[in-house]
Amino acid sequence: MSFEIKGVEELLRKMESELGERKVSRVANKALNEAGEEFREGLAQAVSSYKDTGATADEVVIGRATKRGGRRTVKVGWNGPKQRYKLVHLNEFGYTRWGKTYSPRGSGVIRKYIDVSGKQYILDVRRRLEELTK
């Protein structure tokens, strides 16, 4: 589950020519981390729709912004003592047991959240880049 921000690469190239690569790297990472934190909070709220103990929502984590293959990325996932990462895919996609298909009440919640919030995330990153370069 990922999406690509278009137009930001061009903005970053212009910033690199004016400010330098290291400064732009710091600014871009900070913008991605801040927008990613908001995304994490929203995702935790979205998965709390099928909350029982709240462990799935509590274990949503975000990694630091990194550059891999020329692209900056931020990873969002699950990590914690109750190991909810093992169950998240079952809630998201459903499962089959003994020939019977189960579709939990949280089925598709993560995909819906990503579809709805993708454009907002892009706008948040762009806004933060503009704020940080002023």
Side-chain angles (χ1 to χ4, degrees), residues 11 15 19 23 26-28 30-32 34-35 38 120 123-134:
L11 175 66
M15 288 170 49
L19 303 172
K23 171 102 173 156
R26 281 194 305 266
V27 167
K30 186 172 182 178
L32 284 170
E34 289 175 2
E38 278 187 29
Q120 184 61 43
L123 294 174
D124 285 346
V125 170
R126 188 171 287 203
R127 181 177 46 85
R128 282 184 167 74
L129 281 172
E130 290 169 358
E131 286 175 5
L132 292 171
T133 56
K134 289 183 181 179

Side-chain angles (χ1 to χ4, degrees), residues 26 70 101 110 116:
R26 281 194 305 266
T101 302
I110 297 170
V116 170

Side-chain angles (χ1 to χ4, degrees), residues 83-95:
Q83 299 181 352
R84 291 310 233 197
Y85 67 92
K86 295 178 180 179
L87 299 175
V88 170
H89 69 283
L90 296 175
N91 280 326
E92 181 65 11
F93 303 113
Y95 56 95

